[in-house]
Amino acid sequence: MSPILFIDVLRRRRRYFKLITPLVLFAVAVWYSLQQFGVDQPSWVVVPNSWPQHPFVNEYANVEEWLPESLPEPPQSTPEWRVQESEQLMDLKGLFEENYGVDNVDRFARGFNAPAIDRLADCILTDTCGPGEQRVVILASYHFCRALRGHRSGENVWALSTIEAFTALNYTLFYTYGTMDTLLLYQNLPPRLKPDVRILWEYTTFEDCRVRNNTNYLNMVQENAKGQWQAGKQACIKQDGFEEGIPVWNSFMFYFWREAQSPLGSQWTLSPENYAAQNEDGKGNQYLGYSIESFCRKRSFTPHSRREHRALVLGKLMKIFDPLSNDHYPWKNPEHPDQDLLNSVVPRIPLSMSGEPFALISTAYDEGSIPPPDADENWKGAATPVKVIQNLGSLSQADFYRELGKSKALLGLGRPETSPSPYDALCLGVPFINPIHDWDRDDPTNRFKWRTQHDPLKALSSPYVYNVREGDEEGLEAALNSAVANPIERFIPPEMTIATVKERHRQLVETDWKSKARDLVEKEFWSRGETFEYLL
């Protein structure tokens, strides 16, 4: 390697070597002089290895911050294609920063793109890319940024787990928020990398990409229309007349619910839950899934002997506690709809060994949860419509998990559906009481036909999950008694461990989806004489 190219390699590490460039140049000069006199290269002349794939270290992500202990020798030769690809990536970095900077906190994750491009360009140039590092994943949903900011709604919990899995696989991650920043990034990647690119779209953003044309693009929302750099035909998806667009086969919808959202159907629609396993026909979207294991294990496990004699009621919005607002409220007395079964069941739960009466607590809030001007320091929050429930009001995330871990059960109220909180509860050793709001009266034990608050957990039984039909006073009382009498240890469903989730993410990126898409289109369109509107 020539000294000029060696210096160029070092300069590409400017983030780490800016302050020591004079020393590095001096070391190179010494090394080169020694080479001229036939002296072996000193061991202290080194170039950096590739840095960790993802620079963001979040309290909730299983990502370790590290620097390499030792650095390899520079490569002896640099093929021209490596130089060309590295230069292409640096051009992309400039284009992206010019057109799509970090313009507000909701899009702060774009700030990770430039360092990711630097690392990828450098490892390609120096032939030091680690396993998986040249596989690019574009995260084109706002949920990924919200996840990194600590939001804990279902979509964001799933998004954080996905970031964690891809990071563990050492893939290169880019963050985008609209059609045009996604297109700009994809189009300007080196052609060699494009077959391995996977894009995880917010389905509404993909829809804008799919329909973008010369007529409608100015009417799209600003983030998607911001494509002044695009000349000629205004489009996004690869199609006749726009062959440079994003292929539909490497575009996957990041979608929380059951319906397929991709033109290619269910296998190109990712889901957080194994919905196919819940259907008798076994059909459903591609199960990507998520794990709360790393997040949960950071929370201490409260010994059962130190737990309070109570259950925590799942639900943060006050309207969930009101049968008039919650059409799935499960604990109305079927014979007297104005009476709540909880008010009669809770007092019948036996006292604890220390004589403590059983209680229900909640962390519900609405405008009434704001402390009134005359509230004292013991004010807990507005009362819920269910008089037997003591409301603690809105809590911080840490306080919520602390109160959950100190409880003996988590009780569902019909909503929210498919929340991650029951998984958190199980991981903290807290069983979940799962209301069944619909079932086949002629086949009441057929779980495929149950509709519950948390369908993915309806396959489990006691002592982890108690599936109780709405309006069943005896079943509710028996479930609470059993949950109290049969405590559980930490429990993580096998399909939600870090290892199994990581493997499904690997399969998503490393499967030949182009061939699968071609087979599908051949079967569903071409063999029937029909056309498919996109190019594969």
Side-chain angles (χ1 to χ4, degrees), residues 1-39:
M1 171 184 283
S2 71
I4 295 176
L5 182 56
F6 188 22
I7 291 171
D8 183 62
V9 170
L10 291 173
R11 283 177 174 168
R12 290 180 183 273
R13 294 297 193 190
R14 59 186 177 280
R15 189 157 57 111
Y16 296 96
F17 287 87
K18 185 176 181 180
L19 298 178
I20 62 170
T21 298
L23 294 176
V24 172
L25 293 174
F26 174 74
V28 171
V30 172
W31 167 76
Y32 186 68
S33 298
L34 293 173
Q35 290 285 352
Q36 302 307 306
F37 292 95
V39 181

Side-chain angles (χ1 to χ4, degrees), residues 7 10 22 29 45 100 110 115 133 143 182 208 214 237 266-267 333 344 346 373 376 402 410 421 478 486 499 521 528:
I7 291 171
L10 291 173
V45 179
Y100 300 102
R110 277 183 181 156
E133 196 166 2
H143 287 298
T182 306
D208 285 335
N214 283 25
I237 291 294
S266 59
Q267 286 302 293
N333 188 321
S344 57
V346 169
D376 61 26
R402 188 177 300 110
L410 179 67
S421 293
N486 300 283
V521 172
R528 301 176 180 179

